[in-house]
């Protein structure tokens, strides 16, 4: 919920300085929405197909017992900016997808285990109460035709003992439910009922699974090892890691290692433009919407891109952004970034690749899949993130900036037909 | 935007500890809404009339030039709680009343003065440009029948010089307006036009006046010196001062001094209940809504209260809460607090005041104005704020807890007919 990261940057900042600023921002502010757009190559029709998604992400809170209490900073101007661009805060808070990082998930689970697994000692004063209760339970199980039994438990401590002892003594075949301030109802369960019955502990565990929410998407993104494309993406990728995966390391070198292991192939379209003299001449501005417009006007020889809309499946709706003139939804920006990447790449493959240079003068353009994995030209863009107003032109996501660490990985990446994924 | 202040309080906290917790909370979190309710005595009809107000307050941001950039913390659960109780975050951000404290207002004004008043030196390189421009201006003023003149100004520095010199040389009788990246239009103004013309600087000053916004209400509240009534109001009053008046002092004694000077008469209905044995017996719970219900059922002999609705004046609408069963709007809570205060006070005046005790057994109840200013019984409640779970029962807003400092003030308070104001 911070508007931009370009305040307080100085020309002579070191990479560590720049990274720290992005890191501090990612640690303090929430990510209210996350845009993703997948691109795959449709070889029959010789075009790309894109699916764009805009996720409202609201930090997991959950039941009181889980004791999850997320805090985050807001910048007044950023809230106003989002509202002006159609962001719906009520919907965000009410219906936003929760998310819980692995670390917090572990902490909550451990807290719950402690609460439920620590056996409560029955002290001498309550021994009589317990023996009396146990006699009732035995009678209920062995002699009673009734399905339920209500027992007295005058305080919370004794209630806890009953919940725990019943579970232990009946191996889950009797459920317990607190029905008033001093009464618990025991219910005999059939095999089937026992299977579907959820104890308080199990219900809370179910809830935690739900609360992981959007993190699952990011986990898949990490597993997929597809090229990740962004535009001016330093802050975006910091937010992605900090918000949904793990605390960003203090040290810039460790940050590079982290990114390399999570996202072995990263492209930044702003860096591609700014670092290529032919493109810098062509593009007056490398701001996302300006760059997209220039690319639309100047780069005609490139594959078509179909934005897919899935109206029948409301749960997984890919967005239709074609009709929108301008929109600041993250999903829209992700889509635009992908279109820009395809156009820039097509231009580079046509014009920079020396072998092709002569041919392209005479043959007619035929749309084809970008050769991200095979073409050498991508090496000088791979894993370099744009940084602005600096005497250094990029941040490498690879330690030592050699850009060669991950060639082995990449060759294994064609396990399905998604070619790359853009983030915002 | 924090849900409650009852986390992390310990029984043996000192008053300084308690105050610091409330202070930290008030410093970090924003107040999204502020509820006020005014009560005045209608002597003709022998009843109280109440006007309730609920203000959405969004920290002032304003134009880029003002460089106001408010930050605040949010707690996820608090946002959810507010949404569930009907709070509209979109409206808050889009239409919330801005507010700017005196300190920040001063800072912005000084910044602007610096920008506009510092005379820009015309260096030697630009002397020729300036002399040429001045000749044009003289000709325009003395010889030209035209009302406007367009002059060239190739960069921002030269533009600034023109804006400043024209204002200085023509004493405001010519307006300047930048119409393109290198042109400025000068326009001759008549006496009348000059009066209504606002320079950039004046427009920004106007904007600052607008941005003060809700602070004006609090300034009036402080000027009015009416009794302020709250329910469990430590955090509320901290937010009121920190958010709309001034940074809360570190030291608890200084906090007492600050409150005494701003709000010389303060009552806390929760403290009134908890500190009075007759009331503690009567009230099972002193939570606001519970207490209101108990008071409705148990205290029948008290003045009626009419909640006024002003449907014709949409700008200053007093809210109609009578029809609502339960509502967590701050304005509603303020109204309920006031009703509770009237009932508690009426009960105390009838039952605790010894002189009346015998009479009240035989005569019929006649509604009358509460004798807040004259009746001795209020002394033991005045300027004492409830603190929960503590071995001390209240926080005094008066240093040394003597509660006598302000009698002189209070006698001068009857300058209009508002008797007290509740806050939430």
């Amino acid at each position: 919920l911070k508007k931009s990261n370009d305040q307080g940057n100085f020309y002579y900042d070191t990479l560590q300085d720049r990274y720290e600023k992005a890191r501090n921002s990612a640690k303090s502010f929430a990510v209210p929405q996350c845009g993703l757009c997948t691109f795959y190559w449709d070889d029959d029709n010789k075009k790309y197909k894109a699916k764009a998604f805009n996720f409202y992400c609201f930090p997991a809170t959950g039941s009181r017992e889980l004791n999850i209490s997320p805090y985050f900073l807001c910048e007044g101007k950023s809230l106003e900016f989002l509202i002006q661009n159609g962001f719906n805060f009520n919907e965000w808070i009410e219906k936003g997808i929760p998310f819980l990082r692995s670390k917090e998930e572990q902490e909550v689970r451990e807290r719950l285990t402690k609460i439920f697994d620590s056996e409560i000692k029955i002290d001498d004063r309550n021994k009589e109460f317990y023996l009396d209760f146990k006699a009732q339970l035995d009678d209920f199980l062995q002699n009673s035709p009734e399905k339920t039994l209500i027992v007295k438990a005058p305080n919370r401590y004794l209630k806890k003992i009953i919940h725990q002892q019943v579970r232990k003594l009946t191996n889950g075949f009797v459920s317990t439910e607190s029905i008033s301030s001093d009464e618990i109802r025991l219910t005999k369960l059939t095999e089937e009922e026992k299977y579907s019955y959820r104890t308080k502990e199990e219900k809370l565990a179910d809830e935690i699974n739900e609360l992981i929410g959007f993190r699952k998407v990011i986990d898949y993104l990490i597993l997929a090892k597809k090229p990740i494309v962004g535009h001016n993406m330093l802050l975006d990728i910091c937010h992605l890691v900090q918000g949904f995966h793990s605390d960003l390391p203090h040290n810039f070198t460790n940050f590079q290692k982290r990114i390399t292991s999570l996202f072995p192939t990263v492209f930044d379209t702003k860096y591609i433009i700014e670092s290529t003299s032919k493109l810098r001449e062509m593009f007056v501005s490398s701001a996302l919407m300006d760059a997209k417009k220039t690319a639309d006007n100047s780069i005609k020889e490139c594959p078509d891109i179909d934005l897919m809309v899935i109206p029948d499946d409301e749960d997984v709706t890919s967005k239709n952004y074609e009709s929108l003139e301008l929109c600041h939804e993250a999903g829209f920006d992700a889509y635009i970034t992908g279109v820009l990447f395809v156009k820039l790449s097509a231009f580079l493959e046509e014009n920079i690749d020396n072998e092709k240079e002569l041919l392209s003068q005479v043959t007619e353009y035929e749309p084809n899949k970008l050769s991200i994995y095979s073409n050498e030209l991508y090496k000088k863009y791979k894993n370099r993130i744009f940084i602005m107003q600096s005497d250094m032109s990029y941040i490498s996501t690879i330690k030592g900036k050699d850009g060669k660490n991950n060639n082995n990985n990449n060759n294994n990446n064609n396990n399905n037909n998604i070619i790359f994924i853009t983030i915002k």
Side-chain angles (χ1 to χ4, degrees), chain A residues 49-77:
Chain A
K49 295 205 166 165
K51 289 184 189 173
F53 304 91
N54 194 69
F55 302 96
Y56 275 17
C57 305
F58 190 78
T61 55
S63 308
R64 196 179 43 75
E65 291 92 337
L66 300 177
N67 197 18
I68 305 172
S69 187
Y71 286 72
F72 45 87
L73 262 181
C74 293
E75 190 188 10
K77 280 190 177 161

Side-chain angles (χ1 to χ4, degrees), chain A residues 269-287 291 294 298-299 344 347-348 352 380-381 386 393:
Chain A
T269 44
K270 192 171 176 93
Y271 174 72
I272 294 176
I273 294 171
E274 293 287 348
S275 68
T276 311
S277 56
K278 274 200 189 178
L279 291 174
R280 229 181 21 246
E281 284 162 22
M282 193 188 289
F283 288 79
V284 185
S285 151
S286 65
T294 306
S298 311
I299 304 173
L344 293 176
F347 176 83
L348 293 172
I352 307 288
K380 64 181 268 230
Y381 302 114
F386 178 74
S393 69

Side-chain angles (χ1 to χ4, degrees), chain A residues 207-399:
Chain A
E207 193 186 346
I208 295 173
N209 290 338
E210 288 291 316
L211 292 178
I212 292 171
F214 187 68
R215 194 193 93 205
K216 286 177 197 157
V217 175
I218 303 302
D219 285 348
Y220 283 127
L221 211 64
I222 292 164
L223 275 176
K225 300 260 178 276
K226 293 291 168 188
I228 301 292
V229 179
H231 187 87
N232 197 13
M233 69 196 291
L234 175 60
L235 190 61
D236 293 331
I237 210 159
C238 283
H239 267 301
L240 205 67
V241 173
Q242 175 70 36
F244 307 115
H245 188 268
S246 51
D247 284 339
L248 288 167
H250 285 273
N251 183 284
F252 177 66
T253 310
N254 292 335
F255 168 68
Q256 290 177 306
K257 284 186 201 160
R258 178 82 53 87
I259 298 296
T260 306
S261 75
L262 297 178
F263 305 111
T265 310
V266 168
F267 291 103
D268 185 333
T269 44
K270 192 171 176 93
Y271 174 72
I272 294 176
I273 294 171
E274 293 287 348
S275 68
T276 311
S277 56
K278 274 200 189 178
L279 291 174
R280 229 181 21 246
E281 284 162 22
M282 193 188 289
F283 288 79
V284 185
S285 151
S286 65
L288 180 59
M289 290 312 299
D290 295 341
K292 161 73 162 46
K293 234 172 261 172
T294 306
D296 283 346
N297 294 332
S298 311
I299 304 173
K300 303 291 185 190
E301 300 196 336
C302 71
D304 281 341
I305 298 166
D306 275 0
L307 185 61
M308 311 298 289
V309 187
I310 320 169
D312 292 329
D313 184 353
E314 287 212 358
D315 281 344
V316 193
T317 306
S318 177
K319 294 254 181 168
N320 181 7
Y321 288 119
E322 287 295 10
S323 57
L324 293 173
E325 174 59 14
L326 184 77
C327 158
H328 267 280
E329 234 183 43
F332 177 73
D333 284 354
Y335 166 65
I336 294 298
T337 301
V339 173
L340 182 61
F341 181 68
V342 169
K343 294 193 182 228
L344 293 176
S345 302
F347 176 83
L348 293 172
E349 290 191 12
E350 283 294 308
N351 294 280
I352 307 288
D353 190 336
N354 289 324
E355 287 177 53
K356 275 194 187 170
E357 194 141 29
L358 288 174
L359 288 174
S360 69
Q361 308 292 322
V362 286
T363 60
E364 202 158 281
Y365 173 73
E366 273 177 48
N368 213 337
K369 183 176 161 182
L370 300 176
S371 51
I372 299 175
Y373 295 113
S374 53
N375 197 322
E376 288 287 310
L377 85 88
Y378 289 97
K379 281 204 178 157
K380 64 181 268 230
Y381 302 114
K382 196 175 124 178
N383 298 329
R384 294 182 177 187
I385 293 176
F386 178 74
I387 50 172
M388 62 184 113
Q389 292 175 293
S390 170
D391 57 343
M392 292 155 297
S393 69
Y394 67 90
I395 276 181
S396 169
T397 66
I398 307 285
K399 197 190 150 198

